[in-house]
């Protein structure tokens, strides 16, 4: 691994130390704060997705397009394009793929 600033090699031990320090930081805050931070960084929030009920490779009449609004403790909150209704989905129920990129 290389340092982004100078291109020098960064020892694996340093990378691991930084990762563990960040993990320790996350473990010291409540779950809502972790989810809020994750939502801020998540690539799906604010984007259009396809909700698949079986798999990405299998068409199912229950599949639909939606926009991801936010992430909560209960799952991913989406707004269906066809009905405008909001629904909270869990990863056990569905598979999601980003539309357009």
């Amino acid at each position: 691994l290389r340092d982004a600033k100078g291109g020098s090699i960064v020892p694996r031990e340093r990378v691991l130390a930084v990762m563990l320090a960040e993990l320790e930081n996350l473990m010291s805050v409540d779950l809502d704060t972790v989810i809020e931070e994750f939502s801020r960084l998540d690539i799906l929030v604010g984007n259009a997705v396809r909700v698949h009920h079986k798999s990405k490779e299998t068409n199912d009449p229950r599949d639909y397009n939606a926009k991801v609004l936010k992430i909560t403790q209960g799952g991913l909150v989406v707004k269906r394009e066809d009905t405008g209704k909001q629904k909270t989905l869990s990863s056990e129920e569905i598979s999601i793929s980003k539309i357009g990129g």
Side-chain angles (χ1 to χ4, degrees), residues 14-87:
R14 178 69 185 135
V15 173
L16 182 57
V18 170
M19 289 175 57
L20 290 174
E22 186 62 28
L23 180 60
E24 186 175 21
N25 182 34
L26 287 173
M27 292 176 67
S28 69
V29 297
D30 63 283
L31 184 56
D32 287 332
T33 303
V34 173
I35 291 173
E36 182 179 312
E37 178 69 8
F38 183 77
S39 293
R40 188 179 67 77
L41 301 171
D42 188 80
I43 63 169
L44 293 178
V45 173
N47 287 298
V49 296
R50 179 78 178 162
V51 177
H52 307 277
H53 286 79
K54 291 186 179 179
S55 74
K56 296 176 189 177
E57 293 78 24
T58 305
N59 285 330
D60 186 293
R62 298 173 296 165
D63 294 353
Y64 58 89
N65 291 341
K67 181 177 181 179
V68 178
L69 302 178
K70 62 184 174 180
I71 298 172
T72 67
Q73 285 189 32
L76 202 61
V77 179
V78 299
K79 181 177 175 182
R80 289 183 65 135
E81 279 187 8
D82 57 350
T83 65
K85 291 185 179 180
Q86 288 187 23
K87 183 173 185 181

